[in-house]
């Protein structure tokens, strides 16, 4: 165990990533060794959101918070899949509605609070991701019926919150989310999760030969995507369509919740409370971040996505907090910098979406790594540097990024920086792996990688590319290296064994599926 642990440590820290990025990635691995997490009697994984000094904080492996946590699915993928298994077994109602907090001990009645849009639809995306990380189609098959129910609940007549009753690919109803209240009306943040879930569902359905279901999901995805790109982008960023002065927006939900008006109507200002409206939200294109990581492709228009991220940096990144008013939790202050949850260039609601003025680390990491994915590398790295400057060991504990409680799970979004800065892609179902680092130094780059069957390092040098397996194994059929386009490849070999291949302009197709064992290297000689 000691030898393997030291091997992992050396592999991770041999990466040529900026020191503050390695700091962000490595420091938050420690969350998995804190009381924030535990294993149940059968070995399944369970997590609080964070922990207080004498108790856990916010129970139930909360689906919308754990959406952001990318450490477990890559480093301990079996444990991550156990979270999906528990969710679908214990949290799903017969019509597909999911509770987003798992009740312990297992087998207790479900938590009957309303469904959470990003949590429930994020579960579909995570199932798709975990399938590709593991290559385990039998596992996916065991949950497929529950996954379909999760998607179909969006337009179910029994959906109390009327997410997409007209089945047009856009969420218009009452949408609970990770900022603890509900949005009313179309918005890219939560509809993005819906679109990504539909696209993932279509691909899974096609794999299982369910072509009619695949077509239904894909057609709905295309319809919704077209509408969102056309109607929710204001030229600078994606926003929410709602008239917060119109009390009637709440009327259609009174039959299900007589208190909805008391909860959401601000009688003093004659506005609906807790909305984004014309604001620039940090998570407006979050679904595209998830899609980029797990290989789902385009959810939002590519140019509009990049512009939206640029606007998030422009409006939400504060280089200092002395002149910025924040009435809520203080995660940064004085001369510290960070990305706030939402900003309004104009028309800020009197009582806006909760936590709007706060800098929460996990949200910031997600946005920062997405910026890197979309080519805004300097902006993304500046955000990461700002977060770690707040946790420098003098002002705050570098191994305890807190939000609601210490050692907060959402900060494990920092692992996505490693994926973004290596251009990592994967699909163990087909034996596919790829790297395309957006920034190298004199043609050199090195980083750690991990998937369901093993882990190791990837290294670029001017004359060769090396993928090493230091634990487990890796079966490869295709190797995508876009940075080699136009380069001549002399040979591919593992040890002394030459591997036959075909070079398709940066995509190396091996003649047969090839196993790289522990201690071996696959070398692409240029």
């Amino acid at each position: 165990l000691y030898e393997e642990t030291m091997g992992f440590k050396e592999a991770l820290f041999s990466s040529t990533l900026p020191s503050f990025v390695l700091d962000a990635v490595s420091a938050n691995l420690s969350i998995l060794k804190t009381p924030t997490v535990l294993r149940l009697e059968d070995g399944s994984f369970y997590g609080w959101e964070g922990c207080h000094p004498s108790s856990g904080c916010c129970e139930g492996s909360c689906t919308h918070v754990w959406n952001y946590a990318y450490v477990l699915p890559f480093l301990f993928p079996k444990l991550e899949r156990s979270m999906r298994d528990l969710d679908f077994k214990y949290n799903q109602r017969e019509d597909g509605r999911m509770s987003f907090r798992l009740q312990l001990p297992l087998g207790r009645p479900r938590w009957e609070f309303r469904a959470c849009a990003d949590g429930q639809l994020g579960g579909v995306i995570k199932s798709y991701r975990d399938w590709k990380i593991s290559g385990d189609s039998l596992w996916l098959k065991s949950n497929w019926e529950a996954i379909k129910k999760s998607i179909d609940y969006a337009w179910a007549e029994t959906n109390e919150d009327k997410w997409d009753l007209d089945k047009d690919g856009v969420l218009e109803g009452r949408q609970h989310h990770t900022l603890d209240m509900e949005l009313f009306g179309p918005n890219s943040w939560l509809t993005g999760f819906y679109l990504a879930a539909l696209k993932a569902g279509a691909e899974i359905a096609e794999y299982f030969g369910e072509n009619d279901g695949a077509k239904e999901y894909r057609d709905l995805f295309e319809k919704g995507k077209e509408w969102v790109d056309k109607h929710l982008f204001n030229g600078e960023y994606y926003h929410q369509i709602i008239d917060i002065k119109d009390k009637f927006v709440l009327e259609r939900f009174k039959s299900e919740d007589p208190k909805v008006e008391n909860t959401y109507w601000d009688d003093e200002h004659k506005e609906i409370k807790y909305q984004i409206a014309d604001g620039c939200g940090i998570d407006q294109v979050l679904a595209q971040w998830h899609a980029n990581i797990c290989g789902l492709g385009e959810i939002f228009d590519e140019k509009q996505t990049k512009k939206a991220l640029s606007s998030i940096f422009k409006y939400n990144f504060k280089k200092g907090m002395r002149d910025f008013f924040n009435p809520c939790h203080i995660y940064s202050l004085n001369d510290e910098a960070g990305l706030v949850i939402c900003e309004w260039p104009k028309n800020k609601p009197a009582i806006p979406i909760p936590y709007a003025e706060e800098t929460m680390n996990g949200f910031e990491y997600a946005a920062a790594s997405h910026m890197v994915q979309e080519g805004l590398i300097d902006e993304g790295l500046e955000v990461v540097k700002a977060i770690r400057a707040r946790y420098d060991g003098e002002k705050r504990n570098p191994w305890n990024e807190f939000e609601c409680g210490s050692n907060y799970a959402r900060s494990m979004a920092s692992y996505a920086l490693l994926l973004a800065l290596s251009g990592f892609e994967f699909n163990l179902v087909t034996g596919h792996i790829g790297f395309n680092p957006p920034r190298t130094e004199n043609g050199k780059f090195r980083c750690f990688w991990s998937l369901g069957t093993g882990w190791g390092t990837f290294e670029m040098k001017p004359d060769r590319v090396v993928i090493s397996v230091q634990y487990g194994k890796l079966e490869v059929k295709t190797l995508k290296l876009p940075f080699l386009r136009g380069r001549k490849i002399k040979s591919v070999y593992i040890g002394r064994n030459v591997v036959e291949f075909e070079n398709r302009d940066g995509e190396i197709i091996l003649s047969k599926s090839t196993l790289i064992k522990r201690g071996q290297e696959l070398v692409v000689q240029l």
Side-chain angles (χ1 to χ4, degrees):
L1 177 61
Y2 182 83
E3 180 183 345
E4 289 171 356
T5 303
M6 289 303 295
F8 164 76
K9 178 253 183 184
E10 294 297 334
L12 178 61
F13 282 95
S14 71
S15 303
T16 57
L17 305 176
S19 59
F20 57 89
V21 170
L22 277 174
D23 192 34
V25 172
S26 61
N28 287 312
L29 301 183
S30 66
I31 294 166
L32 294 181
K33 284 290 289 178
T34 70
T36 294
V37 308
L38 56 102
R39 294 180 74 179
L40 306 179
E41 291 91 335
D42 64 354
S44 297
F45 183 91
Y46 174 94
W48 302 83
E49 293 183 24
C51 51
H52 291 318
S54 59
S55 65
C57 171
C58 307
E59 65 176 335
S61 301
C62 181
T63 56
H64 56 69
V65 169
W66 281 87
N67 273 348
Y68 296 77
Y70 267 94
V71 173
L72 199 69
F74 284 95
L75 297 190
F76 300 99
K78 287 183 180 178
L79 295 183
E80 180 70 29
R81 294 199 300 278
S82 76
M83 296 180 82
R84 304 290 85 71
D85 295 335
L86 293 180
D87 260 346
F88 290 129
K89 183 174 182 179
Y90 295 105
N91 272 346
Q92 191 172 62
R93 199 168 70 179
E94 184 57 36
D95 64 350
R97 190 182 94 166
M98 300 283 290
S99 299
F100 59 90
R101 296 192 188 278
L102 180 71
Q103 302 297 286
L104 293 182
L106 296 178
R108 280 183 62 191
R110 283 187 306 272
W111 191 53
E112 288 302 330
F113 189 79
R114 61 186 2 92
C116 176
D118 49 345
Q120 173 153 341
L121 297 167
V124 176
I125 302 166
K126 288 183 287 192
S127 298
Y128 172 83
R129 174 201 67 198
D130 296 342
W131 172 48
K132 294 178 76 173
I133 286 175
S134 67
D136 191 342
S137 297
L138 289 177
W139 169 80
L140 183 70
K141 186 70 173 177
S142 70
N143 285 318
W144 177 223
E145 291 304 315
I147 292 168
K148 285 190 285 189
K149 281 185 179 181
S150 260
I151 300 171
D152 297 355
Y153 180 70
W155 56 82
E157 291 184 3
T158 52
N159 185 327
E160 296 89 344
D161 292 330
K162 303 173 173 57
W163 285 352
D164 184 22
L165 286 189
D166 59 359
K167 203 174 179 183
D168 64 351
V170 179
L171 300 184
E172 298 99 355
R174 181 177 184 175
Q175 303 149 59
H176 192 76
H177 53 73
T178 195
L179 297 178
D180 297 332
M181 297 303 288
E182 283 96 50
L183 291 184
F184 296 84
N187 62 91
S188 64
W189 168 25
L190 301 174
T191 291
F193 273 92
Y194 183 31
L195 295 176
L198 287 167
K199 197 170 188 183
E203 193 171 318
I204 297 169
E206 285 169 358
Y207 182 84
F208 288 133
E210 298 178 11
N211 296 327
D212 291 343
K215 185 178 185 307
E216 179 185 23
Y217 288 153
R218 199 169 295 281
D219 288 349
L220 198 50
F221 162 77
E222 295 289 352
K223 186 178 180 182
K225 179 186 185 306
E226 182 181 4
W227 194 93
V228 167
D229 283 336
K230 182 178 180 181
H231 295 281
L232 293 183
F233 188 74
N234 67 7
E236 283 195 287
Y237 54 85
Y238 289 91
H239 61 133
Q240 176 193 9
I241 293 180
I242 184 174
D243 180 358
I244 59 173
K245 297 291 186 181
D246 183 5
K247 194 176 184 179
F248 181 74
V249 171
L250 306 173
E251 292 288 327
R252 60 193 293 239
F253 301 99
K254 286 182 76 172
S255 61
E256 298 289 347
D257 179 9
K259 297 179 180 179
V260 65
E261 192 174 299
N262 291 337
T263 304
Y264 283 94
W265 184 249
D266 172 12
D267 202 45
E268 179 183 357
H269 301 96
K270 307 300 181 187
E271 288 183 358
I272 299 173
K273 296 186 284 189
Y274 314 131
Q275 304 303 295
I276 293 173
D278 294 324
C280 181
I282 195 170
D283 274 351
Q284 61 186 272
V285 286
L286 183 68
Q288 188 64 65
W289 175 65
H290 288 295
N292 290 347
I293 291 172
C294 62
L296 256 180
E298 189 174 294
I299 305 300
F300 304 110
D301 177 85
E302 184 178 0
K303 290 181 180 178
Q304 292 181 181
T305 296
K306 186 171 182 177
K307 180 64 175 176
L309 289 166
S310 181
S311 296
I312 291 171
F313 187 79
K314 175 182 176 181
Y315 293 119
N316 300 48
F317 187 66
K318 310 299 178 184
K319 294 193 175 184
M321 294 293 171
R322 289 187 184 275
D323 299 320
F324 180 74
F325 176 68
N326 172 16
C328 299
H329 308 100
I330 306 298
Y331 299 118
S332 55
L333 71 166
N334 300 335
D335 296 324
E336 294 175 327
L339 275 179
V340 297
I341 294 295
C342 198
E343 183 58 285
W344 286 263
K346 56 183 180 179
N347 302 327
K348 184 176 181 177
I351 302 179
I353 194 165
Y355 322 128
E357 298 86 357
E358 300 175 22
T359 57
M360 296 188 188
N361 323 303
F363 293 91
E364 294 175 277
Y365 282 131
S369 50
H370 194 184
M371 289 173 190
V372 172
Q373 291 172 347
E374 304 292 348
L376 301 171
I377 302 171
D378 292 331
E379 292 89 337
L381 294 181
E382 187 172 352
V383 173
V384 178
K385 190 179 292 186
I387 302 169
R388 290 312 295 175
R390 304 199 302 255
Y391 291 89
D392 63 355
E394 182 177 0
K395 297 189 290 291
R396 298 174 185 81
N397 182 343
W399 295 281
N400 179 11
E401 293 194 7
F402 52 86
E403 191 185 306
C404 182
S406 295
N407 309 115
Y408 198 77
R410 200 186 325 255
S411 276
M412 287 187 281
S414 63
Y415 189 85
L417 292 163
L418 179 62
L419 310 174
L421 286 163
S422 61
F424 186 51
E425 60 181 71
F426 55 91
N427 185 353
L428 290 195
V429 181
T430 60
H432 174 80
I433 190 171
F435 297 88
N436 192 30
R439 183 170 289 180
T440 62
E441 190 170 335
N442 298 321
K444 296 180 180 179
F445 180 86
R446 183 182 173 94
C447 74
F448 171 84
W449 63 266
S450 182
L451 286 170
T453 58
W455 53 260
T457 59
F458 162 80
E459 187 169 15
M460 294 174 54
K461 293 184 177 181
D463 63 338
R464 65 187 182 276
V465 174
V466 181
I467 297 173
S468 73
V469 175
Q470 298 182 25
Y471 180 88
K473 61 186 179 180
L474 179 66
E475 194 161 345
V476 180
K477 178 70 168 100
T478 61
L479 180 60
K480 190 173 181 179
L481 305 170
F483 57 89
L484 292 184
R485 286 190 182 120
R487 299 283 303 275
K488 183 177 180 181
I489 298 174
K490 290 182 180 178
S491 60
V492 177
Y493 55 88
I494 300 174
R496 296 182 179 179
N497 298 319
V498 175
V499 180
E500 294 184 9
F501 70 95
E502 179 186 349
N503 181 10
R504 296 182 183 170
D505 201 23
E507 185 164 14
I508 299 168
I509 315 295
L510 305 183
S511 59
K512 59 181 180 180
S513 189
T514 302
L515 185 66
I516 314 170
K517 298 178 181 178
R518 180 174 183 166
Q520 291 185 324
E521 296 178 338
L522 182 147
V523 179
V524 179
Q525 190 69 47
L526 304 175

